[in-house]
Amino acid sequence: MARNTFYKKKTTPEEREECFRWFEQRIDRLPKHYKLYEKTFDDLPFTIRRLVRLLREELPKSSIFEGQFALLQQIREHLQQSPDFQE
């Protein structure tokens, strides 16, 4: 299992919003089924939409959600390494 190196105790609103926008701009290009190491997502676009909505609302109030944000960043990094997301 690859270690998630994105986790931080506190992220800035700017870095969170940049990550959220990256996904929102590519939501229609995300694969339906996606495997990230041992994690399997049966509907990645749905999962990302819900995660972004949750994190936008809850992360500014509580750092307990930083782990979920780190997962979002890990998914983005993994996607960026695939040919479909090379920019």
Side-chain angles (χ1 to χ4, degrees), residues 13-66:
E14 294 80 18
E15 64 189 314
R16 294 191 301 256
E17 196 54 39
E18 187 274 327
C19 183
F20 299 155
R21 278 194 308 269
W22 187 91
F23 278 105
E24 290 169 341
Q25 291 169 355
R26 293 158 182 84
I27 198 77
D28 294 333
R29 294 174 42 205
L30 296 178
K32 176 95 170 147
H33 302 285
Y34 191 67
K35 185 170 175 114
L36 176 67
Y37 308 108
E38 294 87 30
K39 301 170 196 85
T40 301
F41 301 90
D42 291 327
D43 189 342
L44 186 62
F46 175 78
T47 302
I48 296 298
R49 281 187 194 99
R50 287 194 59 184
L51 194 52
V52 167
R53 189 173 341 141
L54 171 77
L55 293 174
R56 266 204 176 115
E57 185 174 325
E58 299 298 332
L59 196 49
K61 300 179 215 172
S62 175
S63 63
I64 197 166
F65 293 94
E66 290 291 352

